[in-house]
Amino acid sequence: MQLVRAHILVCGGTECTSSGSKQVQDALAKELEKHKLDKEVKIVETDCHDGFCEMGPLVIVYPEGTFYVRVKAEDVPEIVEEHLLKGRIVSRLLYKAPATEEQIPGYKETDFYKKQQRVALRNCGIINPEVIQEYIARDGYGSLEKVLFEMTPEQVIDEIKRSGLRGRGGGGFPTGMKWEFCRRSPGDMKYIICNADEGDPGAFMDRSVLEGDPHSVIEGMAIGAYAIGAREGYIYCRAEYPLAIKRLKIAIAQAEELGLLGENILGSGFSFDLHIKEGAGAFVCGEETALMASIEGRRGMPRVRPPFPAQSGLWGKPSNINNVETFANVPVIIKRGAEWFASMGTEKSKGTKVFALTGKVNNTGLVEVPMGITLREIIFDIGGGIVGGKKFKGVQIGGPSGGCIPAQLIDTPVDYESLIAAGAMMGSGGLVVMDETTCMVDLARFFLNFTQSESCGKCTPCREGTKRMLEILTRICNGEGVPEDIETLERLGRVIKNTALCGLGNTAPNPVLSTLRYFRHEYEAHIFEKRCPAHVCTALLVYSIDEEKCTGCGRCLRACPAGAITGEKKEPHKIDPEKCIKCGSCFDVCKQGAIIRL
Amino acid sequence: MSSCAQPAEDVQKEKELLELFEKWRGVKGALIPILQGAQAIYGYLPKDVILRISRELKLPPSRVYGVATFYAQFHLKPRGRNIVRVCLGTACHVRGGAKIFEKMQKELGIGNGDTTEDLRYTLETVACLGCCGLSPVIMVNDDTYGRLTPDKLKGILDNYQ
Amino acid sequence: MKLTSREDLKKLREETKALVAARSAEETKIIVGMGTCGIAAGAGEVMNAILEELNKRNIKATVTQTGCIGMCEKEPLVDVQRPGGNRFTYGKVKPSDVPRIISGHVLHGNIVEDLVVARFEEV
């Protein structure tokens, strides 16, 4: 009988075979033969080692009993040479015991969730939004039940007032007071409206709530309707959110089927019908009077207030508008009480706020934090800091209506008043993080371009003023700015802010005014030195090649789409400034760092 | 029996338009949903359809036209079979959305708001698709694509005939 | 079925709670994050891969969807909960990762460590 020094067991179970154990076996045979080990080492095909299938193909070397997992044919030479010839174990292929359940950190132990507190988002990502029973199993519609049978409308309003809940759509008006105005307005027909026309670029809080937990918004609206005395409501949702609309429709149909919407809800005598209106693509419809005009089927243009919607709103009837997140908070406040809600946040800003954290931050996402948390905590503790370890420059808060808060104010607490004092505003909750590669003048131009094209054209300050401001900003970015531009921008900004008809116009200059306040030197660099410090404004860039560093590899020459680069192989290349279109392709491909960008 | 004066497709569209009118008859604020429905049927809002809507709702054509031109969603010219929307929202802006848009214009050979001659694609920009966590983002018809780089575009476009 | 009184709603609530509890004690649940952002990151393909793999191997598990939990950076997200066990979240799941999650976690309770994000708990 042949004496065998070692056995190699290769698993031949179905799953290991499908992940390539046959190839491993063949490779082993070949390799053993090559090293003339085929007489000393025997290959044995085994049955399935049940329970390790996802680790396959498995290879076990006896007598040591070394257990190798996920072995590929390419790994075989290493096993043979290292283990069988030299007696050294290939540790990278060793089986490691899987973590036990306890070793995996819980959500609350992760940086992303440690400082979060989910109230409006309590069900998002937990329940199936298309199955009403999952919402009900988490006490859904229990708050509606409570108000219908245990509370008067006045008590509901009082509860919301005491909770300190303020409008989450941007304005920050106390919700309870708004409801009270509408309740007190005379009239037997009133409307409750949910503003889901989330148009701020960089914001997706409302979309996530509508897609993830539509019933909490519906329940919040029904409670609001009971409080103000409405029996009909509308959700005005932008058409760019097809999934949100689909889930809302499903949710409304399911609630109607169970009798949680419609006539005589739960036998209480209270009736409430809810409709969806799809927006048609106009940012200004986020303004409440414009939104109501749009529901009525007219051009979505704002009108002068007073009369306020609480007196004369949709179809001339008293109406109340709140945004998605505000309504999503309502059922929790009723369930857990005003005191519980008011215990979170700061003196004047109670509860939590949902933010869409985006831009140059490591952990982008949707976060809900108690009011009063600092921007530093949101961006660095939750967001994990800046992508690529670059320098944090500022954060745009509140979208095109908000402002830019610079690095030196990163310890600003997030509440309505502190943000306004810093020249920004809560807005609906977009947080766009910027690093040193963002040009603040270009950013201001970007926002102005947005508000300018979304201006409805009804009032002169907004229609003409934003146009002039945009022209000036474009000129500055193109290197054609003149010294008096800064002052003109400031003057125009102030005038528009004070005289425009609606919120869109009043806040349109904010991005310009706040960047002028904190990043004035960047404007000055563009205007006086014709230089863009962040290297973003193409017209101001000049590309050249450092002859010392250039090795003449030709990479840039091939990458240049304009044929502006010339040079012999292995000789320093040159850029013809006349032909250069400043696309930056050469800068991106150069491995020597020889392209100079000024 | 009928000598087929109208192609079957037109007959079908006509039928859908009548159903649309029926669905919204007597409902307050029906103009925008009817315009949305009509555009879903025809792909855009032809002049005669605007006139039909104005007669149906007993509104002056100027009012219907005014609303149709106010909202970005409505189109008075034929559009491509596939609508490509490049997001240029804030998050996409700071993460290179402009480069995506540039490349897309080159791929399709058309500019913002234009339609290719074969009516295969219409190119548009949009201020925010609400997928900022995945920026830069584009949307083709109802499909959203995130974490894009310019070289991924061709592969995506090829899926849409 | 229409609920016509408080008691009806209470009854339904108790029933659904009992049903949810019974289910989580008996079946394995796989939950895919299907918000717009999840779908844009490829959650639809992952969902199909999961259904296909379960079908191919004749494994019984409930596959369902949920909305956005907030970690956009880690989409597509897939949660796995074994009978009576904890719910775990996997991130940046590709269709090619699905067989590993199914045979590792769903069948044998071995957590796929390189993909797991965290043990699910309410925040």
Side-chain angles (χ1 to χ4, degrees), chain A residues 191 207 277 280 298-299 446, chain B residues 28-29 66 71 73 88 130:
Chain A
Y191 293 101
R207 174 179 65 69
K277 279 277 172 177
R298 293 185 285 120
R299 290 164 73 98
F446 166 80
Chain B
K28 284 183 293 186
Y71 294 98
Q73 193 192 13
L88 293 180

Side-chain angles (χ1 to χ4, degrees), chain C residues 3-35:
Chain C
L3 310 170
T4 54
S5 66
R6 284 189 91 163
E7 288 63 41
D8 282 359
L9 178 61
K10 280 200 178 110
K11 208 172 127 228
L12 178 66
R13 187 183 304 136
E14 297 316 317
E15 279 169 15
T16 50
K17 275 187 181 173
L19 191 71
V20 168
R23 271 207 194 136
S24 69
E26 286 164 13
E27 335 178 316
T28 297
K29 229 170 146 184
I30 304 175
I31 306 146
V32 185
M34 295 279 271

Side-chain angles (χ1 to χ4, degrees), chain A residues 496-518:
Chain A
I496 298 170
K497 217 175 154 139
N498 294 330
T499 58
L501 176 62
C502 79
L504 186 150
N506 295 143
T507 57
N510 281 354
V512 182
L513 295 176
S514 70
T515 47
L516 269 171
R517 178 165 156 192
Y518 297 118

